Amino acid sequence: MGDERATMPHARVALVVAVCLVAINMRPTITSVGPLLEQIGADTGLGPSALGLLASIPLATWALVSPFASGLSQRFGMSRVVLWSLALLTMGTVVRSVPGPAVSLWIGTAVIGVALAIANVLMPAVIKREFPSRVPTMMAVYTALLGGAGAVASGVAVPVAEWGAGVTGADGWRLSLVITGGILLPVAIVAWLVAMRGRRERATRGGAAGQARGIWKDSTAWVVAAYMGFQSATFYILVTWLATIAVSTGRSAVTAGIDVMIYQVGALVGAIAVPVILRGGAARWVPAALPVIALVGLAGLIAAPDAILAWVIVLGPASGASLGVSLTLMAQRARDHHGATALSGMAQSVGYLMAAAGPVLFGSLHSATDGWLLPLLLVVAILVGQSLSGLAAGRERYVLEPR
C-alpha cells in the first residue's frame, strides 16, 4: 500500500477486507481474558492484584511501544510493519497458552502487547491515507469490528474453556485463549498480503520524523491523548472486571461472560453510530456528552448491582462510541496521514499509560475493601475526567499548526 492509492475496484475491495480482518483480530486476545480470570487465578494461584496486573500488561506495553511505531513505519513502510505486527501477535497468542511455567503466560501477554501497540497506532493512519474522504465511516466500521470481535471472544471464552477441559483433560482456559484470540489471525495475514501485493511505499523520514518529535509539544495532541486515556481506562477496567462483578451478584461464570459480551455488543452499536453523531454543529459536544451517558449506567451499577444487565446495556454503547470518537479524533485532528501517525503514536502512548493503571488499581481497591463501591467510584472519577477533556477535544483544531 503506497501513497498512490489503489483505484481499481478489486484492489479497493481487497483493501477494505484486509482492514476489516485486521480490526477483527485486534481485541479478542485481550477481551477473552476477563471472563477467564477466575480459572486463570485458580490454576496459577494469582490473586486479584496480580490478575489485574496481567490484564494491564498489554496496556503498559502499548504505552511504551506506541511512540516507536511511527519510526518503524517511516523506515520500513506502514503496510510491512502492520504485517509484522500480525505475525508477532500470532506468536504471542501461542506462547501465552503454552502449558508449563507461568512465565509463558506473562511473556506471551507482553508479546501480544507489543504487536497490538504497533497495529493500534498505524491503523488510524492507514485509514487516513487510504480513505481520506471517508474517515468517520471507515473508522466506524473499524471500531465496530473491534468491539464486535471482542464481544464474541468474551462471550465464548468460558464455554470454549469448558469444552477444551473436557476434550483435553487439561487447563481449558489455555486452549480457549488460543482459539478465541488466534483462530482468524492466519486469515488476516493472508488478506493483508493480498491487499499489499505489488504496491510500494516511498520513504518519508525527514518531515515525518520532525512531526513525531513536535507532536509531544502540541496542546491539541495532549487533549486527544487525555481523552484516549480516560475512555480506555474505563473500557479495560470493565472488560476485565465486569464478569467478576457479575459473579459476585450470584450469576454463573457463563452468564457473566455473556454480560461482558453484551457490553461489547453495545459498544459495537455505539461505534457504528459515530458517523451519525459526529455530523453537524452538535459534533462539537459529543466527546464530552458520551461519558455523561456512561455515568448513568455506572450509577445504576453502584445502586442496584443485581440489575447489572440493564446497566451494561447503557454502558456498552457509550463506551464504543467513545472509542470510535477517540480514534476518529486521531485522524481528524491531523492534516495528513503523517501527522495522523504521529498523533496516533503519541496519543496511544499517553492514553494507554493512563489506561494500564486502571485494572490494577481497580483490583487493588477491591482487594483492600473486599467490595465494589470504592473501585466503581474510581471509574466515576475517570468518566468525569473524560468529559472534561472532551470539551477541549471537540474543538476543531489541528496538531502541528501555529496557534
Side-chain angles (χ1 to χ4, degrees), residues 47-286:
S49 296
L51 291 171
L53 178 60
L54 181 68
S56 290
I57 283 180
L59 306 182
T61 307
W62 295 354
L64 294 173
V65 175
S66 292
F68 299 100
S70 179
L72 289 172
S73 175
Q74 293 157 25
R75 182 169 184 179
F76 300 106
M78 190 181 297
S79 305
R80 186 178 299 172
V81 176
V82 170
L83 179 64
W84 292 349
S85 72
L86 293 174
L88 192 62
L89 180 59
T90 304
M91 183 179 74
T93 302
V94 173
V95 170
R96 181 176 63 175
S97 298
V98 171
V103 67
S104 63
L105 175 64
W106 298 93
I107 293 175
T109 301
V111 172
I112 287 170
V114 171
L116 291 177
I118 296 169
N120 278 338
V121 170
L122 295 185
M123 290 310 295
V126 168
I127 291 172
K128 175 74 172 181
R129 183 184 69 182
E130 302 293 345
F131 309 97
S133 63
R134 299 181 180 274
V135 169
T137 299
M138 283 303 301
M139 201 63 75
V141 171
Y142 176 78
T143 310
L145 288 172
L146 288 181
V152 172
S154 295
V156 305
V158 173
V160 171
E162 293 178 349
W163 168 81
V167 171
T168 66
D171 305 319
W173 63 266
R174 296 182 187 274
L175 184 59
S176 180
L177 289 179
V178 169
I179 293 175
T180 57
I183 194 169
L184 290 178
L185 275 169
V187 180
I189 290 172
V190 171
W192 196 260
L193 283 169
V194 170
M196 69 179 286
R197 183 178 53 189
R199 307 184 68 185
R200 297 179 179 179
E201 296 185 38
R202 294 192 296 266
T204 56
R205 298 184 189 180
Q211 287 181 322
R213 291 190 297 269
I215 200 74
W216 292 91
K217 301 177 182 178
D218 192 280
S219 59
T220 298
W222 279 100
V223 168
V224 174
Y227 193 83
M228 177 69 184
F230 286 127
Q231 69 84 21
S232 295
T234 298
F235 175 81
Y236 286 104
I237 286 173
L238 292 179
V239 84
T240 301
W241 289 105
L242 194 59
T244 307
I245 295 172
V247 169
S248 73
T249 67
R251 299 168 81 81
S252 69
V254 172
T255 303
I258 293 174
D259 289 334
V260 181
M261 180 179 72
I262 292 173
Y263 167 69
Q264 292 177 88
V265 169
L268 184 154
V269 173
I272 292 174
V274 167
V276 177
I277 63 179
L278 285 182
R279 290 178 180 173
R284 162 74 175 83
W285 308 104
V286 168

Side-chain angles (χ1 to χ4, degrees), residues 223 227 284-289 291 329 385-395:
V223 168
Y227 193 83
R284 162 74 175 83
W285 308 104
V286 168
L329 287 172
Q386 181 188 343
S387 186
L388 293 175
S389 62
L391 289 173
R395 293 181 295 176

Side-chain angles (χ1 to χ4, degrees), residues 30-31 35 63 91 172 193 199 213 264 294 306 308 346 372:
I30 306 297
T31 60
M91 183 179 74
L193 283 169
R199 307 184 68 185
R213 291 190 297 269
Q264 292 177 88
D306 289 341
I308 188 171
M346 180 270 188
W372 299 112

